[in-house]
Amino acid sequence: MSILVFAEHDNSTLKSATLNVVGAAKAIGGDIHVLVAGQNVGGVAEKAAQIDGVSKVLVADNAAYGHQLGENLALLVAEVGKGYSHILANAGTTGKDFMPRVAALLDVAQISDIMRVESADTFVRPIYAGNAIATVKSSDGIKVITVRGTGFDPVAGEGGSAAVESIDAAHDAGISSFVEAKMAESDRPELTAASIVISGGRGMQNGENFHMLEKVADLLGAAVGASRAAVDAGFVPNDMQVGQTGKIVAPNLYIAVGISGAIQHLAGMSDSKVIVAINKDEEAPIFQVADYGLVADLFEAVPQLEAELKKVL
Amino acid sequence: MKVLVAVKRVIDYNVKVRVKPDNTGVDLANVKMAMNPFCEIAVEEAVRLKEKGVATEIVVVSIGPKAAQEQIRTALALGADRGIHIETDEEVQSLQAAKLLKAVVDKEEPKLVILGKQSIDTDNNQTGQMLAALAGMPQGTFASEVVVDGDKVNVTREVDGGLVTVQLNLPAVVTTDLRLNEPRYASLPNIMKAKKKPLDTQSPADLGVDLTPRLTTLKVEAPQTRKAGIKVGSVEELVDKLKNEAKVI
């Protein structure tokens, strides 16, 4: 059995989520190869070769893959993946975009967002916004899978010494092109990989007030997230959204500030180790999942939290 | 141009689901059903394209039991012109749904197909991409803006880290993100009018698609419930607990 893992990167840095996907591949068991597809990705391929447990890195360096267009990636991965028993990618927006296309080209089903491996053909995944957990068995020859990174421990990113092999498959479907990217700039850790996340909801009242959370985040080395209400109200950009339709996080500590705790939000954070809720509404559903709840006005509690953390950290 | 919109009947998003005691699935008996929220956004986008004079006809398609006709009628009341119901009581998985939709695309030849990015029951996020692959069309997934320009469409996509705009040749598939638009409500006169709009019923066999599932659900369980937590009285107590009891800071 051999497993192809699609490496997530931005042409210069290998995304840490790839290490969790290799962790999932390890749980399945078998020879693990990593595919690096992009433009000028020599550095990424070198990093991928150091991942623990990987025996081979395949590099497809071509302008057609420079912007990770799903139409082109799917042709490549479907061709390269034919010889494998499993094809895995992180369930981020890149994997969610092109992997179902790969599955359709190979005429197999896709198993989305797996959080556990039962065996080589049986996987556990959440449905109904995480309110039910399904165990599914695949009868397909090739298993096309996207992996929920927070469900698997990352493998070490160093110490491995995989062989690097270049492949010249240049698939340009010629039906789509990249126009522009508008990426949010941030010095804080990536939301899905952060060990502490502090999130704000509608209770924050405006975008300016998120600075209060940022100050606390900087003290804790935390990432800042948001509920859909805060994103829809325009307080913060949508890539900060935690929930069923946003990002799934499972940090050691999740601090929910001014978030009521709708089903869709809980779907994105209820696997966190410790949950703290700060909300003035004692009846807010978030308190039903919070390990530590503080019923208080966030505009008083958050500055106090900052002051208190300065004392103890 | 003709726009095809796919809609799915799912449990209402506000309903707290219950897993059946025999672990075979989620209890859907006597539960409020509705159009999948992402599909509502797809319908709204198509209607807006028609109002702008870009779309000339909106065909709405749904796959599922007889009751799915309610969701087609809802889409017709919102402004779609006619409906296609692919009726089946069997489970239809994403790949098979994509094949059924591909058969409809072959017949109807729409310039644009709009679907929701995921249904809130199975949370797969696959059908639009699979349909695009089968039909050889480009895809604009997780769209927050759609601008049709001649024989191309520019789609702004919500991706991890921000927004990316791509240009697709038509015909193309677009899947909607929540921020694409704010769906309207159907007015009573429009609901009445929708009852008279044409609705064609077909079977998966008519379209030559085999529904044999590739994935078997072995069991469905309730997620682990979290232990009830405690309420702290002050910020000092909270920080103390986090540092000395939970040891997370």
Side-chain angles (χ1 to χ4, degrees), chain A residues 97-117:
Chain A
D97 180 51
F98 82 89
M99 285 289 268
R101 224 175 147 107
V102 171
L105 292 175
L106 294 171
D107 192 27
V108 301
Q110 180 190 279
I111 308 141
S112 295
D113 226 8
I114 64 161
M115 50 199 280
R116 214 164 62 228
V117 172

PDB file of all heavy atoms in Angstrom, chain A residues 97-117:
ATOM      1  N   ASP A  97     -10.988  22.344  -2.618  1.00  0.00           N
ATOM      2  CA  ASP A  97     -11.264  22.804  -3.986  1.00  0.00           C
ATOM      3  C   ASP A  97     -10.924  21.734  -5.015  1.00  0.00           C
ATOM      4  O   ASP A  97     -11.756  21.385  -5.849  1.00  0.00           O
ATOM      5  CB  ASP A  97     -10.441  24.071  -4.249  1.00  0.00           C
ATOM      6  CG  ASP A  97     -10.653  24.628  -5.654  1.00  0.00           C
ATOM      7  OD1 ASP A  97     -11.823  24.802  -6.036  1.00  0.00           O
ATOM      8  OD2 ASP A  97      -9.657  24.872  -6.359  1.00  0.00           O
ATOM      9  N   PHE A  98      -9.709  21.176  -4.973  1.00  0.00           N
ATOM     10  CA  PHE A  98      -9.319  20.313  -6.094  1.00  0.00           C
ATOM     11  C   PHE A  98      -9.524  18.820  -5.851  1.00  0.00           C
ATOM     12  O   PHE A  98      -9.662  18.053  -6.810  1.00  0.00           O
ATOM     13  CB  PHE A  98      -7.863  20.590  -6.533  1.00  0.00           C
ATOM     14  CG  PHE A  98      -6.832  19.891  -5.691  1.00  0.00           C
ATOM     15  CD1 PHE A  98      -6.410  18.604  -6.013  1.00  0.00           C
ATOM     16  CD2 PHE A  98      -6.286  20.508  -4.587  1.00  0.00           C
ATOM     17  CE1 PHE A  98      -5.464  17.942  -5.231  1.00  0.00           C
ATOM     18  CE2 PHE A  98      -5.345  19.865  -3.810  1.00  0.00           C
ATOM     19  CZ  PHE A  98      -4.941  18.583  -4.125  1.00  0.00           C
ATOM     20  N   MET A  99      -9.563  18.380  -4.592  1.00  0.00           N
ATOM     21  CA  MET A  99      -9.639  16.925  -4.345  1.00  0.00           C
ATOM     22  C   MET A  99     -10.926  16.264  -4.867  1.00  0.00           C
ATOM     23  O   MET A  99     -10.863  15.166  -5.434  1.00  0.00           O
ATOM     24  CB  MET A  99      -9.414  16.623  -2.865  1.00  0.00           C
ATOM     25  CG  MET A  99      -7.965  16.749  -2.436  1.00  0.00           C
ATOM     26  SD  MET A  99      -6.896  15.425  -3.081  1.00  0.00           S
ATOM     27  CE  MET A  99      -7.014  14.262  -1.711  1.00  0.00           C
ATOM     28  N   PRO A 100     -12.111  16.891  -4.691  1.00  0.00           N
ATOM     29  CA  PRO A 100     -13.299  16.244  -5.257  1.00  0.00           C
ATOM     30  C   PRO A 100     -13.197  16.106  -6.774  1.00  0.00           C
ATOM     31  O   PRO A 100     -13.747  15.179  -7.375  1.00  0.00           O
ATOM     32  CB  PRO A 100     -14.437  17.199  -4.869  1.00  0.00           C
ATOM     33  CG  PRO A 100     -13.923  17.968  -3.703  1.00  0.00           C
ATOM     34  CD  PRO A 100     -12.448  18.119  -3.940  1.00  0.00           C
ATOM     35  N   ARG A 101     -12.478  17.035  -7.385  1.00  0.00           N
ATOM     36  CA  ARG A 101     -12.265  16.985  -8.828  1.00  0.00           C
ATOM     37  C   ARG A 101     -11.396  15.767  -9.170  1.00  0.00           C
ATOM     38  O   ARG A 101     -11.647  15.068 -10.148  1.00  0.00           O
ATOM     39  CB  ARG A 101     -11.559  18.289  -9.257  1.00  0.00           C
ATOM     40  CG  ARG A 101     -12.129  18.879 -10.498  1.00  0.00           C
ATOM     41  CD  ARG A 101     -11.536  20.213 -10.878  1.00  0.00           C
ATOM     42  NE  ARG A 101     -11.552  20.232 -12.329  1.00  0.00           N
ATOM     43  CZ  ARG A 101     -12.389  20.957 -13.056  1.00  0.00           C
ATOM     44  NH1 ARG A 101     -13.251  21.764 -12.507  1.00  0.00           N
ATOM     45  NH2 ARG A 101     -12.347  20.874 -14.388  1.00  0.00           N
ATOM     46  N   VAL A 102     -10.392  15.534  -8.348  1.00  0.00           N
ATOM     47  CA  VAL A 102      -9.537  14.352  -8.526  1.00  0.00           C
ATOM     48  C   VAL A 102     -10.389  13.083  -8.416  1.00  0.00           C
ATOM     49  O   VAL A 102     -10.312  12.179  -9.250  1.00  0.00           O
ATOM     50  CB  VAL A 102      -8.411  14.317  -7.461  1.00  0.00           C
ATOM     51  CG1 VAL A 102      -7.664  12.989  -7.488  1.00  0.00           C
ATOM     52  CG2 VAL A 102      -7.453  15.480  -7.650  1.00  0.00           C
ATOM     53  N   ALA A 103     -11.233  13.056  -7.366  1.00  0.00           N
ATOM     54  CA  ALA A 103     -12.060  11.873  -7.128  1.00  0.00           C
ATOM     55  C   ALA A 103     -12.961  11.601  -8.332  1.00  0.00           C
ATOM     56  O   ALA A 103     -13.079  10.457  -8.787  1.00  0.00           O
ATOM     57  CB  ALA A 103     -12.897  12.075  -5.859  1.00  0.00           C
ATOM     58  N   ALA A 104     -13.573  12.654  -8.863  1.00  0.00           N
ATOM     59  CA  ALA A 104     -14.476  12.473 -10.008  1.00  0.00           C
ATOM     60  C   ALA A 104     -13.708  11.982 -11.226  1.00  0.00           C
ATOM     61  O   ALA A 104     -14.186  11.112 -11.967  1.00  0.00           O
ATOM     62  CB  ALA A 104     -15.200  13.781 -10.319  1.00  0.00           C
ATOM     63  N   LEU A 105     -12.504  12.518 -11.440  1.00  0.00           N
ATOM     64  CA  LEU A 105     -11.698  12.084 -12.593  1.00  0.00           C
ATOM     65  C   LEU A 105     -11.320  10.609 -12.455  1.00  0.00           C
ATOM     66  O   LEU A 105     -11.190   9.899 -13.449  1.00  0.00           O
ATOM     67  CB  LEU A 105     -10.429  12.943 -12.722  1.00  0.00           C
ATOM     68  CG  LEU A 105     -10.649  14.414 -13.112  1.00  0.00           C
ATOM     69  CD1 LEU A 105      -9.327  15.179 -13.078  1.00  0.00           C
ATOM     70  CD2 LEU A 105     -11.283  14.534 -14.498  1.00  0.00           C
ATOM     71  N   LEU A 106     -11.142  10.157 -11.210  1.00  0.00           N
ATOM     72  CA  LEU A 106     -10.784   8.749 -10.974  1.00  0.00           C
ATOM     73  C   LEU A 106     -12.029   7.881 -10.797  1.00  0.00           C
ATOM     74  O   LEU A 106     -11.920   6.676 -10.569  1.00  0.00           O
ATOM     75  CB  LEU A 106      -9.895   8.639  -9.723  1.00  0.00           C
ATOM     76  CG  LEU A 106      -8.508   9.288  -9.819  1.00  0.00           C
ATOM     77  CD1 LEU A 106      -7.823   9.295  -8.455  1.00  0.00           C
ATOM     78  CD2 LEU A 106      -7.637   8.565 -10.843  1.00  0.00           C
ATOM     79  N   ASP A 107     -13.207   8.505 -10.852  1.00  0.00           N
ATOM     80  CA  ASP A 107     -14.486   7.828 -10.633  1.00  0.00           C
ATOM     81  C   ASP A 107     -14.541   7.099  -9.281  1.00  0.00           C
ATOM     82  O   ASP A 107     -14.931   5.942  -9.191  1.00  0.00           O
ATOM     83  CB  ASP A 107     -14.796   6.848 -11.782  1.00  0.00           C
ATOM     84  CG  ASP A 107     -16.256   6.374 -11.719  1.00  0.00           C
ATOM     85  OD1 ASP A 107     -17.085   7.134 -11.192  1.00  0.00           O
ATOM     86  OD2 ASP A 107     -16.538   5.247 -12.184  1.00  0.00           O
ATOM     87  N   VAL A 108     -14.135   7.831  -8.242  1.00  0.00           N
ATOM     88  CA  VAL A 108     -14.247   7.284  -6.885  1.00  0.00           C
ATOM     89  C   VAL A 108     -14.931   8.335  -5.997  1.00  0.00           C
ATOM     90  O   VAL A 108     -14.989   9.505  -6.347  1.00  0.00           O
ATOM     91  CB  VAL A 108     -12.860   6.922  -6.279  1.00  0.00           C
ATOM     92  CG1 VAL A 108     -12.163   5.893  -7.142  1.00  0.00           C
ATOM     93  CG2 VAL A 108     -11.981   8.157  -6.106  1.00  0.00           C
ATOM     94  N   ALA A 109     -15.441   7.887  -4.865  1.00  0.00           N
ATOM     95  CA  ALA A 109     -16.029   8.821  -3.907  1.00  0.00           C
ATOM     96  C   ALA A 109     -14.902   9.523  -3.163  1.00  0.00           C
ATOM     97  O   ALA A 109     -13.769   9.039  -3.138  1.00  0.00           O
ATOM     98  CB  ALA A 109     -16.917   8.068  -2.926  1.00  0.00           C
ATOM     99  N   GLN A 110     -15.221  10.678  -2.572  1.00  0.00           N
ATOM    100  CA  GLN A 110     -14.229  11.308  -1.703  1.00  0.00           C
ATOM    101  C   GLN A 110     -14.726  11.241  -0.263  1.00  0.00           C
ATOM    102  O   GLN A 110     -15.920  11.361  -0.009  1.00  0.00           O
ATOM    103  CB  GLN A 110     -14.015  12.762  -2.078  1.00  0.00           C
ATOM    104  CG  GLN A 110     -12.967  13.410  -1.156  1.00  0.00           C
ATOM    105  CD  GLN A 110     -12.860  14.907  -1.293  1.00  0.00           C
ATOM    106  OE1 GLN A 110     -12.211  15.407  -2.189  1.00  0.00           O
ATOM    107  NE2 GLN A 110     -13.516  15.621  -0.390  1.00  0.00           N
ATOM    108  N   ILE A 111     -13.794  11.065   0.652  1.00  0.00           N
ATOM    109  CA  ILE A 111     -14.151  11.087   2.066  1.00  0.00           C
ATOM    110  C   ILE A 111     -13.592  12.401   2.615  1.00  0.00           C
ATOM    111  O   ILE A 111     -12.383  12.606   2.635  1.00  0.00           O
ATOM    112  CB  ILE A 111     -13.575   9.868   2.806  1.00  0.00           C
ATOM    113  CG1 ILE A 111     -13.982   8.592   2.049  1.00  0.00           C
ATOM    114  CG2 ILE A 111     -14.083   9.806   4.245  1.00  0.00           C
ATOM    115  CD1 ILE A 111     -12.912   7.548   1.996  1.00  0.00           C
ATOM    116  N   SER A 112     -14.506  13.285   3.032  1.00  0.00           N
ATOM    117  CA  SER A 112     -14.111  14.635   3.426  1.00  0.00           C
ATOM    118  C   SER A 112     -13.818  14.727   4.910  1.00  0.00           C
ATOM    119  O   SER A 112     -14.537  14.166   5.731  1.00  0.00           O
ATOM    120  CB  SER A 112     -15.238  15.627   3.106  1.00  0.00           C
ATOM    121  OG  SER A 112     -15.453  15.727   1.733  1.00  0.00           O
ATOM    122  N   ASP A 113     -12.740  15.499   5.223  1.00  0.00           N
ATOM    123  CA  ASP A 113     -12.547  15.978   6.584  1.00  0.00           C
ATOM    124  C   ASP A 113     -12.442  14.863   7.627  1.00  0.00           C
ATOM    125  O   ASP A 113     -13.062  14.937   8.688  1.00  0.00           O
ATOM    126  CB  ASP A 113     -13.767  16.870   6.922  1.00  0.00           C
ATOM    127  CG  ASP A 113     -13.355  18.190   7.576  1.00  0.00           C
ATOM    128  OD1 ASP A 113     -12.160  18.464   7.629  1.00  0.00           O
ATOM    129  OD2 ASP A 113     -14.248  18.900   8.047  1.00  0.00           O
ATOM    130  N   ILE A 114     -11.676  13.827   7.345  1.00  0.00           N
ATOM    131  CA  ILE A 114     -11.601  12.727   8.321  1.00  0.00           C
ATOM    132  C   ILE A 114     -10.900  13.194   9.594  1.00  0.00           C
ATOM    133  O   ILE A 114      -9.972  13.988   9.563  1.00  0.00           O
ATOM    134  CB  ILE A 114     -10.906  11.457   7.763  1.00  0.00           C
ATOM    135  CG1 ILE A 114      -9.430  11.714   7.431  1.00  0.00           C
ATOM    136  CG2 ILE A 114     -11.650  10.908   6.561  1.00  0.00           C
ATOM    137  CD1 ILE A 114      -8.608  10.430   7.323  1.00  0.00           C
ATOM    138  N   MET A 115     -11.378  12.723  10.735  1.00  0.00           N
ATOM    139  CA  MET A 115     -10.764  13.089  12.002  1.00  0.00           C
ATOM    140  C   MET A 115     -10.124  11.896  12.691  1.00  0.00           C
ATOM    141  O   MET A 115      -9.422  12.053  13.691  1.00  0.00           O
ATOM    142  CB  MET A 115     -11.787  13.768  12.918  1.00  0.00           C
ATOM    143  CG  MET A 115     -13.086  13.010  13.068  1.00  0.00           C
ATOM    144  SD  MET A 115     -14.420  14.062  13.684  1.00  0.00           S
ATOM    145  CE  MET A 115     -14.006  14.054  15.423  1.00  0.00           C
ATOM    146  N   ARG A 116     -10.360  10.683  12.140  1.00  0.00           N
ATOM    147  CA  ARG A 116      -9.740   9.495  12.722  1.00  0.00           C
ATOM    148  C   ARG A 116      -9.667   8.403  11.658  1.00  0.00           C
ATOM    149  O   ARG A 116     -10.500   8.350  10.757  1.00  0.00           O
ATOM    150  CB  ARG A 116     -10.573   9.010  13.909  1.00  0.00           C
ATOM    151  CG  ARG A 116      -9.751   8.410  15.025  1.00  0.00           C
ATOM    152  CD  ARG A 116     -10.509   8.290  16.340  1.00  0.00           C
ATOM    153  NE  ARG A 116     -11.654   7.417  16.267  1.00  0.00           N
ATOM    154  CZ  ARG A 116     -12.860   7.748  16.733  1.00  0.00           C
ATOM    155  NH1 ARG A 116     -13.058   8.923  17.281  1.00  0.00           N
ATOM    156  NH2 ARG A 116     -13.858   6.900  16.644  1.00  0.00           N
ATOM    157  N   VAL A 117      -8.663   7.531  11.764  1.00  0.00           N
ATOM    158  CA  VAL A 117      -8.526   6.390  10.864  1.00  0.00           C
ATOM    159  C   VAL A 117      -8.845   5.136  11.666  1.00  0.00           C
ATOM    160  O   VAL A 117      -8.239   4.892  12.713  1.00  0.00           O
ATOM    161  CB  VAL A 117      -7.085   6.297  10.313  1.00  0.00           C
ATOM    162  CG1 VAL A 117      -6.875   5.009   9.540  1.00  0.00           C
ATOM    163  CG2 VAL A 117      -6.763   7.506   9.441  1.00  0.00           C
TER     164      VAL A 117
END
